[in-house]
Amino acid sequence: MEPRSLRAPEPLLFEVSRPGRRGYDLPPLDVPVEGHNTLDARYLREDIDGFPELSEVDVVRHYTRLSRLNYAIDLGLYPLGSCTMKYNPKVNEKVARLPGFADAHPQVAEEMIQGCLRLMHSLERALCAICGMDRFTLQPAAGAQGEQTGILMVRAYHQERGNPRRVVLIPDSAHGTNPASAHLAGYRVEQIASNERGCIDLGALRRRVGEDVAVLMLTNPNTLGVFEGEIEEAARALHDKGALLYMDGANLNAFVGQARPGDMGVDVHHLNLHKTFSTPHGGGGPGSGPVGVKRILEPFLPVPTVEREGDRLRFQHDRPGSIGKIRSFHGNFGMFVRAYAFILAHGPAGLKRMSETAVLNANYLRKRLEGTYHLPYGAPSLHEVVFSDRNLEATGVRTLDVAKRLMDYGFHPPTIYFPLIVRGALMIEPTETESREELDAFVAAMLAIDAEARRDPGLVTSAPHTTPIRRLDETAAARNPVLRWRPRGKES
Ligand SMILES: *Cc1c(COP(=O)(O)O)cnc(C)c1O
């Protein structure tokens, strides 16, 4: 018999099922069944073929073992660049579970959910103050949906002026969701090159912007973690031709409390509550991508908005210029509660300190690693830093190998091969929630991997060695995914 390891792959419940095992142990029924509220026999299923039969302890151990295979922010640093995987304070969870919030049905009468409406209204006011915008919609369920909402509002704005225009300009460093959102809104996407600092090339923008351009989508700080210092000039160049400026504000964690998109000439932007304001994300979980607008775009906000009427609050559905509904009900309400709790707990001074610390942590990692790993862009970093695998070229170790080897050291790998303008990119974002000790442990792992690559590259290129599943064939996984489980012996 093979010895069992706690790191062995966990079988499915179907595979460990044993006939006759039960998850409960009750005395036999000693009252007649007939005449009680039992379901009519024709609605009862005789048997479920292959239904797993397990004891309670089997089930508990199965799920506990699975939970231990998961890497989470509650286990350690999660330096996934662009994703802002900060720690989510447990108090957020506590307030989100208050029955008045958690049990509010989305179709309950407005008089009965004044508290929920007040939270939405207050969150909107807080976001307006933080970002320097006039209004926010809280409805989009993610950053990407926020982008689409924003671009649809831009389209409605131009349409009202008689011509929706044809083109959306996007820098070559942008997140892939930007061109996707523009395309979904019916626009043709044109790329604008970056300059040697990794920022938008203002000359190229000025040459291209014309009456056919609807909007520029600019990420600030951009995906290299570099602040777009000429954003005001970009806004002026666009506004001179009647075009608008959309800011992808997913990286807002870099300057919350320091600067405001609304003061930079931005007309519309989304932000990610699940990044900047600490709500759980990843794995496609619930998110929230509120969109802030200047007055000129307010008529086009999706419905409903939350409006004050005397001392009452209400949903306003009747907005003739609105782009309409973009999501069922009122958005991911539980995320609003968490984000608002986070904002109130920090206050203006706390939020300012938060972004300062996020930038400090990223720059600490940059300083400790830039002598070893290649830094493709030398411009000052804000909240994240992008390295490449160029210094490892002679060893044959690539970015993917470094990422895999990090798992053996107990870290989630950073974002890799993004942004696309950096070959072999390693994009590292520590966020403000990491201690000096945790950052030092990460640095030590990165330096150890560099040393291993030079001494014993095979060790790195065959990593990971300590995870339940070893190196996967990523191409086969993408090209030939096996998505259906079949019992052992019946795999084909
Ligand atoms: C995360 C991110 C997005 C998309 O946000 P989702 O909530 O994942 O849809 C867009 N742009 C940038 C720069 C991002 O980092």
Side-chain angles (χ1 to χ4, degrees):
M1 190 182 154
E2 266 186 57
R4 198 174 64 168
S5 150
L6 273 181
R7 292 206 155 266
E10 181 64 15
L12 297 181
L13 289 179
F14 298 95
E15 295 169 309
V16 293
S17 168
R18 291 290 173 273
R21 291 232 175 119
R22 286 285 171 273
Y24 62 88
D25 187 9
L26 295 175
L29 199 60
D30 60 358
V31 293
V33 176
E34 257 11 89
H36 287 268
N37 283 333
T38 51
L39 276 177
D40 195 314
R42 64 200 151 116
Y43 298 124
L44 295 176
R45 203 154 29 168
E46 277 294 300
D47 199 10
I48 302 175
D49 192 29
F51 198 70
E53 294 178 80
L54 298 146
S55 70
E56 180 176 311
V57 65
D58 291 338
V59 175
V60 168
R61 285 184 181 162
H62 172 75
Y63 285 108
T64 305
R65 283 196 293 258
L66 282 183
S67 77
R68 288 164 56 119
L69 297 180
N70 207 4
Y71 192 88
I73 189 66
D74 287 354
L75 274 175
L77 175 68
Y78 210 128
L80 209 48
S82 207
C83 297
T84 316
M85 304 299 288
K86 64 173 75 178
Y87 173 72
N88 305 298
K90 296 295 170 253
V91 67
N92 295 356
E93 299 304 314
K94 182 126 183 144
V95 292
R97 283 164 177 71
L98 290 175
F101 291 137
D103 298 343
H105 191 279
Q107 285 186 317
V108 84
E110 285 167 11
E111 305 81 70
M112 296 175 69
I113 47 157
Q114 284 294 306
C116 295
L117 286 169
R118 192 158 147 215
L119 185 135
M120 293 173 78
H121 191 259
S122 302
L123 177 60
E124 184 186 342
R125 294 324 310 156
L127 295 178
C128 286
I130 290 167
C131 298
M133 303 305 279
D134 294 313
R135 288 298 305 263
F136 261 88
T137 173
L138 302 179
Q139 297 212 4
Q145 200 186 16
E147 292 168 25
Q148 194 198 358
T149 303
I151 299 303
L152 287 173
M153 282 193 268
V154 167
R155 189 179 187 94
Y157 165 89
H158 287 304
Q159 183 79 61
E160 201 188 60
R161 270 152 198 74
N163 175 9
R165 303 189 172 200
R166 287 184 308 117
V167 174
V168 171
L169 301 178
I170 302 182
D172 51 11
S173 60
H175 196 271
T177 51
N178 288 193
S181 302
H183 182 77
L184 277 175
Y187 283 112
R188 203 178 79 218
V189 173
E190 273 184 38
Q191 256 188 22
I192 292 282
S194 304
N195 60 25
E196 66 293 340
R197 280 171 55 86
C199 293
I200 186 161
D201 182 337
L202 204 56
L205 175 67
R206 288 200 175 113
R207 282 191 297 281
R208 178 56 191 90
V209 63
E211 308 282 327
D212 61 335
V213 171
V215 65
L216 166 73
M217 294 182 87
L218 189 63
T219 306
N220 199 18
N222 64 26
T223 54
L224 292 163
V226 176
F227 190 78
E228 291 283 354
E230 293 179 314
I231 187 170
E232 287 173 275
E233 287 80 356
R236 263 194 295 278
L238 291 155
H239 292 157
D240 281 348
K241 302 284 184 191
L244 300 182
L245 175 57
Y246 183 100
M247 194 189 91
D248 179 331
N251 292 340
L252 192 73
N253 208 50
F255 63 75
V256 175
Q258 321 280 340
R260 308 193 307 167
D263 301 334
M264 300 172 193
V266 170
D267 300 294
V268 48
H269 74 90
H270 80 270
L271 54 84
N272 292 29
L273 293 186
H274 49 285
K275 293 181 180 170
T276 310
F277 301 112
S278 87
T279 71
H281 61 300
S288 183
V291 179
V293 295
K294 287 291 182 57
R295 229 21 110 196
I296 51 163
L297 291 171
E298 183 180 352
F300 312 108
L301 285 171
V303 287
T305 56
V306 178
E307 307 291 340
R308 183 178 282 288
E309 231 175 48
D311 59 355
R312 309 301 288 162
L313 290 156
R314 65 182 191 87
F315 287 120
Q316 189 177 60
H317 292 274
D318 180 24
R319 299 179 64 88
S322 168
I323 59 164
K325 265 196 93 52
I326 52 122
R327 198 187 178 282
S328 56
F329 302 117
H330 316 304
N332 275 337
F333 182 80
M335 298 297 113
F336 309 160
V337 183
R338 289 170 174 88
Y340 191 55
F342 186 85
I343 290 170
L344 287 189
H346 279 69
L351 290 177
K352 185 160 184 278
R353 218 176 116 72
M354 169 181 105
S355 53
E356 278 167 10
T357 311
V359 171
L360 179 66
N361 280 357
N363 279 279
Y364 181 72
L365 291 183
R366 171 172 161 160
K367 270 280 160 261
R368 296 277 328 266
L369 292 174
E370 70 185 355
T372 304
Y373 287 85
H374 172 244
L375 189 72
Y377 286 90
S381 296
L382 289 188
H383 67 303
E384 62 196 354
V385 55
V386 178
F387 292 103
S388 91
D389 59 7
R390 204 166 87 185
N391 293 353
L392 290 171
E393 214 150 77
T395 68
V397 168
R398 311 263 50 113
T399 284
L400 180 71
D401 308 316
V402 175
K404 297 287 186 199
R405 184 67 179 142
L406 268 171
M407 296 185 201
D408 288 333
Y409 283 93
F411 289 101
H412 194 287
T415 296
I416 55 174
Y417 300 111
F418 179 78
L420 302 177
I421 56 173
V422 174
R423 250 193 98 188
L426 277 150
M427 185 195 215
I428 302 172
E429 179 181 9
T431 84
E432 72 281 4
T433 52
E434 299 309 322
S435 67
R436 169 85 185 268
E437 292 75 19
E438 187 71 9
L439 298 179
D440 284 338
F442 178 72
V443 168
M446 288 291 285
L447 297 180
I449 293 169
D450 178 78
E452 286 170 353
R454 287 160 208 290
R455 198 180 58 236
D456 181 9
L459 176 67
V460 184
T461 53
S462 57
H465 302 283
T466 58
T467 51
I469 305 285
R470 304 292 175 78
R471 180 74 66 111
L472 294 170
D473 181 337
E474 309 217 347
T475 309
R479 293 276 164 81
N480 185 25
V482 179
L483 302 177
R484 180 162 175 203
W485 177 82
R486 289 175 199 279
R488 232 167 250 183
K490 296 187 185 170
E491 278 91 354
S492 55

